């Protein structure tokens, strides 16, 4: 069981782990021991997450979200299989915690009078510079 916060717990049936050989450091050990962890979380079928949380989680997960509604996390950071399992679970918990926070609504504001005046002044200055670039019409 994976604890996200006080209210949300991810059950064991929602998580599956597969182990494979890892690339990277490890010497001869890398060819013998399956230390890389592939953690699969059935997010779309999870009864512990609400609809809006699932949609935010899908948006945050990006390419890690599969077509059947699962999140795949592959971790091969360390030489230890146990440590890689911990890292994968921590990353999943952090993703879910991030999805739990609803984004704050943007409050529309109007530009101030002085900012409007500054914008118009700069606009007229810019126009004056451009008129000075034109060829001079001679009255000789």
């Amino acid at each position: 069981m994976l604890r996200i916060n006080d209210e949300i717990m991810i059950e064991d049936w929602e998580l599956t782990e597969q182990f494979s050989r890892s690339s990277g450091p490890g010497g001869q050990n890398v060819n013998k021991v399956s230390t890389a962890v592939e953690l699969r979380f059935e997010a779309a079928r999870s009864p512990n997450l609400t609809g809006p949380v699932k949609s935010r989680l899908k948006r945050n997960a990006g390419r890690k979200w599969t077509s059947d509604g699962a999140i795949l996390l592959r971790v091969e950071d360390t030489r230890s299989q146990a440590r890689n399992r911990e890292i994968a679970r921590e990353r999943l918990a952090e993703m879910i915690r991030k999805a739990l926070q609803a984004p704050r609504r943007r409050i529309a504001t109007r530009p101030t009078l002085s900012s409007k005046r500054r914008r118009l002044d700069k606009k007229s200055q810019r126009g004056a510079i451009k008129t000075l670039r034109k060829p001079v019409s001679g009255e000789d």
Side-chain angles (χ1 to χ4, degrees):
M1 189 173 315
L2 180 64
R3 183 182 194 88
I4 305 301
N5 61 18
D6 294 336
E7 296 92 35
I8 297 177
M9 307 275 268
I10 302 300
E11 302 296 329
D12 289 334
W13 67 266
E14 299 176 79
L15 299 172
T16 52
E17 293 172 333
Q18 280 188 319
F19 303 101
S20 60
R21 292 200 179 117
S22 175
S23 62
Q28 294 174 347
N29 195 45
V30 89
N31 300 324
K32 296 185 287 184
V33 182
S34 298
T35 56
V37 177
E38 194 172 89
L39 181 69
R40 181 182 177 93
F41 170 54
E42 300 295 335
R45 296 191 303 143
S46 177
N48 298 320
L49 301 178
T50 61
V53 172
K54 287 179 187 177
S55 63
R56 284 193 296 267
L57 187 60
K58 181 178 181 178
R59 189 175 58 243
N60 291 347
R63 287 178 38 207
K64 294 179 182 84
W65 186 276
T66 62
S67 59
D68 58 331
I71 293 179
L72 274 178
L73 293 174
R74 182 172 170 80
V75 178
E76 48 183 279
D77 295 355
T78 65
R79 295 182 187 186
S80 164
Q81 186 186 80
R83 183 66 188 124
N84 283 338
R85 283 181 74 188
E86 288 175 23
I87 292 170
R89 286 173 172 257
E90 288 168 13
R91 286 183 186 167
L92 177 64
E94 191 56 42
M95 281 177 77
I96 296 171
R97 280 189 207 105
K98 192 174 179 183
L100 286 172
Q101 296 174 349
R104 292 177 56 191
R105 291 189 55 83
R106 184 186 176 276
I107 299 168
T109 58
R110 294 175 58 196
T112 61
L113 184 63
S114 61
S115 67
K116 287 180 186 176
R117 284 187 182 145
R118 279 194 304 269
R119 182 179 62 82
L120 292 174
D121 288 343
K122 286 184 180 179
K123 192 176 172 103
S124 60
Q125 286 174 0
R126 195 81 195 130
I129 290 171
K130 288 184 176 184
T131 54
L132 290 172
R133 287 188 194 151
K134 290 182 182 176
V136 179
S137 59
E139 291 182 12
D140 293 275

